[in-house]
Amino acid sequence: MPLNCKEREALRFLGVHLVYGLAAAFTFGAAVLGINLGNLWTLIVNSNHPVIVTVLFFFGLSVTFGSVGMGVGIMSLASDDESEHR
């Protein structure tokens, strides 16, 4: 079933905000590991499965920040609509 113009526009809008959230997640995750916040990098390196721990860490950040990015995008739509009606 093909998407109409409005549906494509909405998915593109959410996708752009998802990418913003993912970029923030990977930046934040890299910064946390880079400065060894809470000795997290040390714990990961010394664990039995460092790759799995790292993937799970970034997966959790991606879900959280991606959702926040899309939520911010959706919430910003209301403020745009209100300013047009005044």
Side-chain angles (χ1 to χ4, degrees):
M1 179 163 77
L3 299 174
N4 65 30
C5 183
K6 293 247 185 215
E7 292 170 336
R8 276 191 300 247
E9 183 181 335
L11 287 176
R12 184 179 352 215
F13 177 80
L14 288 175
V16 166
H17 285 85
L18 175 63
V19 169
Y20 292 154
L22 293 177
F26 285 104
T27 303
F28 178 75
V32 166
L33 294 179
I35 63 172
N36 200 17
L37 185 66
N39 290 324
L40 188 60
W41 177 248
T42 305
L43 288 171
I44 290 173
V45 170
N46 293 325
S47 73
N48 292 332
H49 304 287
V51 173
I52 294 174
V53 174
T54 305
V55 168
L56 288 174
F57 173 68
F58 280 101
F59 177 75
L61 288 175
S62 298
V63 169
T64 303
F65 280 73
S67 300
V68 168
M70 289 191 297
V72 166
I74 291 170
M75 299 283 182
S76 70
L77 289 175
S79 64
D80 292 342
D81 291 341
E82 289 176 10
S83 63
E84 291 176 3
H85 293 298
R86 290 183 183 186

